[in-house]
Amino acid sequence: MTFNIAMYLQLAVNTPIYQTFEYKTPQNIVFSDKNLCGCRALVKFGNRKTIGVIVSTSDKQSYSGRGIIKEVEEILDDTPVFDMYAVRLLSWASSYYHYPVGEVFYTALPPLLKKQNKAELKPIDLWSAIPGADISSIKRAKTCQSALEIIRKSPCTTHKLKELGISSAIINKLSGLNLIVKTNLRDQVKEWSREQLEVTGTKILNGEQQAAYNTISDASGFNVFVINGVTGSGKTEIYLQLIADKLADGKQALVLVPEINLTPQTVKRFYDRFNVPIVCIHSSMNDSERFESFVMMQRNEAAILIGTRSALFANIPNLGIIIIDEEHDSSYRQGDGFRYHARDCAVMLGYLRNIPVVMGTATPSIETVNNIRKNKYRELILTRRAGNASDAIFNIIDMRKQFIDHGISRELALHINEELAKGNQVLLLLNRRGYSQKLICHNCGYVFMCNNCDSSLTYHRTENQLLCHHCEARYSLPHQCPQCGFTELTPTGNGTEQIFEHLMQLFPNARPVRVDRDSVSGKGTLNTLLDDINDNRYNIIIGTQMLAKGHHFPNVTLVGIVDIDSCLFSNNYRAHELLAQLIVQVAGRSGRGNKQGYVYLQTHSPDHPVLTTLLSGGYQAFTENCLNIRRQLMLPPFTSNAILKADSSSREKVITFISDAYAFMIRESQKFKSVKVMHPSSAYIARKQKRYHFNILINAAGKKDLSDFVDIIIANIDKFRDKSGVHSVIEIDPLSNE
Ligand code: ADP
Ligand code: ZN
């Protein structure tokens, strides 16, 4: 069937306005009977052209105002970019997060489709080994050999090779030596078929795993499961088996992970298990690689999508299951623009599609624990580590009255020494990169600050510069104090560079390595570093929280957390939860196999209740305590928060705005029984990148009240805003109250 009469389209247009706009199909174009919903259209909006996504269609006009309905300029897609579930999910997200609908859809578009044209697929290089080729030239090049080995097993795309840690340089080398040859996979791709599915390496589940697996498999339709088990307890094995069942039914799977480039091993396990096409979406892929993954899922050419939060919006026609690994991880939260929580949106998607959602974590978030208690989510507990590894032993190092050198207590140094002597590895965690947190004049106390931010500068010795960790500004190293002219400047507050240097002095025969954002530039370097660590090339690993995620270090027997006090005393009500998660997670990184693992926490507050609870009762006791406190103090998840954030280059303007907004909010809040509006406060870093930041926290007993109240604010906020320069945004369920 074709249409030659106009269709009326509701479009989510990329503009900061909360409603959709009605357009009609061009009269001179005949549309075939395809689904326009979810396709992009190029439209005139005001006097510019922009992209809109069609969210619904009708043969009747719904706009009843006086203006005329414009025709769209062009429909940009032959197949919808968003399926009907994604359209519903994004529409829901726009109203739940109170974010302009057009911007929500625009954010969800793969980058290549954000441009105002049709997107074309690039050829996909598929590499196959040339049979009988002479490999003598690479006999001694280990990386080339193992790459060739992989390609010989089965032809691989460049993308897959990269996921497996094989660089373009190696591929080029092999091809230069005429050992491998490329063809264009695009010429031959078709839909994956369950008939060809082969599953290899399936493990026999232990009792707990089997029980969890059975519960999930026996349920039908939408359900949320939380597999609660320590690192190494076999969660991934359960995901793999659940996915195998779905693939056997011809269904596709979506696996969300916090930061894929930190966990190349995870991706590899999926490749090892299944012979079906698997694609990824994450931030270290370029736009056309991401588009490729997107299209392969959309056309059912790939069966599994493993990705970070934005993978959630992919068009997956046969989606059968959603896995959310490391559910508690805060990188599921988008931090700017359209601020959504991918875990919560994934649950909504599971609901809309009526399919199971399976989360896994060793440290469930407090929200999730609460949802388990309310029977919204079903918890499945794995208490044992697969294999014969035992749990790590926790110890607190009381820093008071101890000899401390460069942040390392004598006690910790002794334990490090013992483990090194036994040939084991140690891992030290400090969440501060650089050499020292501050540079201070020893004479007058002057602290070197950033010109753009209310923040002290971090001294980086490798670069010999002062860096601002908030705006990335760099300053050359000063030789005297600008205030008094004194030349003795003292670095204070140690960072990873300093600890690294200190450890080299303490243990001159050790082989330390530093892993943080400065020492690891790309995905390649991190992979190489991790391989080198596992090959025992290093025996002291010092790094930031980059180390706490995803990796397993079987030879690490000692984990030291250098400074936990900065997390114990924070204004953010979630700080203790994050600290407890960090401690438990980092402990799980160590001691596989039959060696006993130890965790040492350095603190000046050994009697802090968070520590004593965690050590005596474990993470579960901590969450129980934490929930009780949150309930008593009426904090989320027992209530709901939103935060109004405003910033401007003029302090005066933002203060005027925030105080007017506050007065309005106080007045309006009288209409709601449960809405509380807190006093305005300056943000944690009051001035950042030359802009002044202020917040107002809103708390409500119920989500409905909160949502209705935020609607009122949004409808009125422009009245207070001096158009010339205050920017504001409302965040729903913010991760922090400051
Ligand atoms: P998690 O995802 O909880 O960290 P994994 O699924 O990665 O745990 O399991 C940890 C290790 O134990 C992996 O090497 C995995 O292959 C192995 N493993 C998991 N389940 C079993 C099992 N039932 N039998 C044997 N080995 C298992
Ligand atoms: Zn700065």
Side-chain angles (χ1 to χ4, degrees):
M1 192 178 136
T2 54
F3 304 103
N4 43 18
I5 46 159
M7 297 257 289
Y8 294 89
L9 313 170
Q10 290 296 328
L11 261 82
V13 179
N14 177 28
T15 182
I17 296 178
Y18 287 82
Q19 85 226 39
T20 54
F21 291 88
E22 191 161 59
Y23 283 81
K24 56 186 180 184
T25 50
Q27 265 163 9
N28 54 349
I29 297 177
V30 175
F31 285 98
S32 62
D33 184 13
K34 66 175 184 187
N35 189 0
L36 289 176
C37 197
C39 290
R40 294 172 308 143
L42 187 63
V43 295
K44 269 210 189 105
F45 190 81
N47 48 14
R48 68 187 172 109
K49 276 190 191 173
T50 186
I51 286 185
V53 175
I54 302 166
V55 297
S56 69
T57 60
S58 164
D59 48 14
K60 292 196 188 65
Q61 178 176 336
S62 76
Y63 176 72
S64 57
R66 266 204 254 145
I68 49 158
I69 295 185
K70 282 188 225 150
E71 291 178 3
V72 300
E73 301 282 304
E74 195 183 349
I75 306 280
L76 295 171
D77 304 301
D78 298 328
T79 359
V81 176
F82 297 112
D83 58 34
M84 105 189 166
Y85 301 106
V87 169
R88 283 192 209 158
L89 175 70
L90 292 166
S91 305
W92 167 83
S94 161
S95 77
Y96 181 81
Y97 290 106
H98 296 270
Y99 205 74
V101 66
E103 296 190 333
V104 167
F105 276 85
Y106 188 76
T107 308
L109 283 170
L112 269 194
L113 298 180
K114 289 186 163 119
K115 301 187 181 132
Q116 301 180 2
N117 49 24
K118 300 200 172 192
E120 305 259 321
L121 286 169
K122 285 199 180 150
I124 313 171
D125 295 341
L126 180 74
W127 297 97
S128 328
I130 296 175
D134 172 24
I135 62 155
S136 54
S137 51
I138 59 158
K139 274 245 163 78
R140 263 177 295 157
K142 202 173 137 206
T143 33
C144 282
Q145 253 183 16
S146 55
L148 185 60
E149 201 76 338
I150 292 171
I151 299 170
R152 274 191 170 163
K153 253 198 224 158
S154 70
C156 294
T157 58
T158 310
H159 169 74
K160 178 171 173 184
L161 289 170
K162 281 191 183 157
E163 292 300 331
L164 294 172
I166 294 163
S167 66
S168 334
I170 294 177
I171 301 174
N172 290 340
K173 183 155 180 215
L174 291 173
S175 121
L177 291 167
N178 280 328
L179 297 171
I180 59 174
V181 63
K182 76 174 174 198
T183 48
N184 182 6
L185 181 62
R186 270 270 140 246
D187 298 338
Q188 20 173 320
V189 275
K190 32 183 201 306
E191 294 195 22
W192 73 278
S193 87
R194 58 179 167 163
E195 280 74 35
Q196 286 160 10
L197 174 69
E198 275 171 39
V199 183
T200 36
T202 305
K203 307 262 183 340
I204 296 167
L205 298 178
N206 66 31
E208 286 178 337
Q209 283 175 313
Q210 189 68 46
Y213 167 88
N214 289 348
T215 308
I216 301 171
S217 314
D218 290 349
S220 64
F222 168 69
N223 277 289
V224 183
F225 301 97
V226 182
I227 307 180
N228 180 354
V230 295
T231 316
S233 59
K235 298 183 291 293
T236 311
E237 183 60 36
I238 301 178
Y239 308 153
L240 288 166
Q241 299 203 14
L242 292 167
I243 291 173
D245 296 344
K246 294 294 172 190
L247 297 181
D249 285 344
K251 297 273 198 254
Q252 295 167 291
L254 170 64
V255 182
L256 293 179
V257 292
E259 281 163 79
I260 218 168
N261 44 351
L262 297 184
T263 55
Q265 300 103 319
T266 311
V267 179
K268 184 163 183 307
R269 278 178 71 186
F270 281 79
Y271 281 132
D272 287 346
R273 180 69 49 104
F274 305 113
N275 63 341
V276 292
I278 297 172
V279 290
C280 298
I281 290 183
H282 56 78
S283 59
S284 47
M285 288 167 73
N286 66 33
D287 293 354
S288 42
E289 287 168 338
R290 284 196 210 200
F291 183 55
E292 182 70 42
S293 298
F294 179 87
V295 172
M296 286 185 70
M297 286 310 277
Q298 183 189 32
R299 297 187 183 167
N300 200 30
E301 293 167 359
I304 303 174
L305 171 61
I306 305 175
T308 47
R309 55 178 185 259
S310 67
L312 179 69
F313 305 122
N315 181 339
I316 311 178
N318 301 321
L319 186 60
I321 189 167
I322 303 171
I323 308 283
I324 309 167
D325 196 24
E326 308 289 359
E327 156 286 315
H328 63 279
D329 198 296
S330 45
S331 51
Y332 282 125
R333 173 82 195 194
Q334 166 87 20
D336 51 16
F338 163 42
R339 294 153 203 237
Y340 62 96
H341 201 301
R343 175 197 60 212
D344 300 345
C345 290
V347 169
M348 185 41 123
L349 182 62
Y351 167 77
L352 292 171
R353 302 195 69 130
N354 196 28
I355 57 170
V357 176
V358 180
M359 304 182 184
T361 174
T363 51
S365 63
I366 297 293
E367 294 85 27
T368 293
V369 172
N370 192 46
N371 281 324
I372 292 168
R373 290 192 162 195
K374 292 197 299 192
N375 291 324
K376 281 171 82 177
Y377 298 175
R378 289 165 76 178
E379 184 177 33
L380 305 157
I381 300 179
L382 305 181
T383 53
R384 283 182 291 147
R385 278 187 173 188
N388 53 359
S390 50
D391 289 343
I393 296 173
F394 280 86
N395 295 287
I396 287 184
I397 295 182
D398 184 351
M399 303 269 275
R400 294 171 301 185
K401 299 178 199 151
Q402 269 219 43
F403 177 74
I404 295 160
D405 195 1
H406 291 79
I408 305 282
S409 62
R410 173 166 288 164
E411 197 180 333
L412 181 58
L414 287 173
H415 291 301
I416 293 175
N417 196 30
E418 268 170 39
E419 294 307 313
L420 293 181
K422 286 189 244 164
N424 297 329
Q425 289 175 314
V426 307
L427 187 156
L428 299 177
L429 197 81
L430 177 65
N431 232 350
R432 280 196 300 266
R433 57 197 179 88
Y435 187 85
S436 72
Q437 231 177 340
K438 290 179 184 164
L439 192 64
I440 297 181
C441 170
H442 200 55
N443 185 43
C444 73
Y446 177 85
V447 179
F448 287 82
M449 301 285 288
C450 178
N451 291 335
N452 312 325
C453 310
D454 281 351
S455 168
S456 59
L457 295 167
T458 308
Y459 170 41
H460 285 244
R461 183 169 275 188
T462 324
E463 284 121 321
N464 208 30
Q465 279 181 324
L466 297 179
L467 262 66
C468 173
H469 285 187
H470 296 284
C471 73
E472 310 293 325
R474 288 164 177 270
Y475 302 81
S476 56
L477 192 67
H479 296 288
Q480 58 179 175
C481 171
Q483 196 163 272
C484 72
F486 203 64
T487 51
E488 196 179 322
L489 306 174
T490 321
T492 47
N494 35 47
T496 47
E497 274 186 345
Q498 189 176 154
I499 302 270
F500 177 82
E501 200 181 275
H502 176 58
L503 290 168
M504 291 219 288
Q505 282 159 7
L506 267 184
F507 307 105
N509 298 322
R511 306 178 302 278
V513 62
R514 181 161 63 87
V515 183
D516 58 28
R517 197 141 62 80
D518 302 313
S519 68
V520 176
S521 47
K523 180 175 159 184
T525 17
L526 182 65
N527 279 347
T528 321
L529 268 180
L530 295 176
D531 284 347
D532 288 348
I533 291 170
N534 281 328
D535 284 349
N536 251 325
R537 249 183 246 178
Y538 302 106
N539 58 358
I540 301 180
I541 309 143
I542 159 98
T544 53
Q545 63 171 3
M546 224 179 199
L547 284 173
K549 292 186 180 177
H551 318 294
H552 299 147
F553 302 112
N555 299 319
V556 168
T557 51
L558 183 156
V559 173
I561 306 187
V562 178
D563 172 22
I564 58 171
D565 291 357
S566 51
C567 311
L568 282 176
F569 305 100
S570 158
N571 284 332
N572 183 3
Y573 74 96
R574 293 184 74 253
H576 290 165
E577 178 185 352
L578 297 176
L579 177 65
Q581 287 167 352
L582 176 77
I583 292 174
V584 176
Q585 291 286 339
V586 80
R589 303 293 146 222
S590 71
R592 286 281 182 92
N594 38 24
K595 290 180 182 167
Q596 179 62 54
Y598 299 91
V599 179
Y600 293 95
L601 310 172
Q602 292 200 126
T603 177
H604 281 94
S605 305
D607 304 322
H608 195 289
V610 168
L611 298 179
T612 48
T613 316
L614 197 58
L615 263 69
S616 60
Y619 187 74
Q620 202 194 335
F622 165 78
T623 53
E624 255 154 52
N625 250 357
C626 187
L627 271 174
N628 286 338
I629 294 170
R630 299 256 189 110
R631 186 186 293 111
Q632 279 169 7
L633 299 180
M634 296 291 281
L635 289 168
F638 298 98
T639 55
S640 296
N641 274 356
I643 194 164
L644 170 70
K645 295 185 164 177
D647 62 274
S648 168
S649 55
S650 151
R651 191 178 145 87
E652 230 182 317
K653 275 186 189 161
V654 69
I655 288 180
T656 309
F657 167 79
I658 210 88
S659 52
D660 290 352
Y662 176 65
F664 174 80
M665 284 157 72
I666 286 290
R667 235 178 13 251
E668 289 299 316
S669 67
Q670 312 300 323
K671 298 177 189 158
F672 297 84
K673 255 213 320 266
S674 84
V675 170
K676 282 200 289 271
V677 179
M678 312 297 160
H679 280 286
S681 62
S682 68
Y684 174 59
I685 303 285
R687 191 176 59 113
K688 205 167 162 178
Q689 281 178 300
K690 296 196 171 144
R691 295 181 73 85
Y692 296 86
H693 294 255
F694 281 80
N695 301 329
I696 298 177
L697 185 70
I698 307 155
N699 177 273
K703 287 208 182 287
K704 172 86 173 68
D705 266 8
L706 186 75
S707 179
D708 292 348
F709 182 64
V710 170
D711 273 339
I712 296 178
I713 303 172
I714 286 173
N716 289 280
I717 200 133
D718 282 341
K719 292 182 196 154
F720 319 115
R721 196 188 337 243
D722 177 341
K723 291 273 188 313
S724 65
V726 179
H727 167 256
S728 76
V729 62
I730 292 186
E731 216 174 292
I732 306 295
D733 304 336
L735 288 189
S736 163
N737 50 338
E738 50 185 16

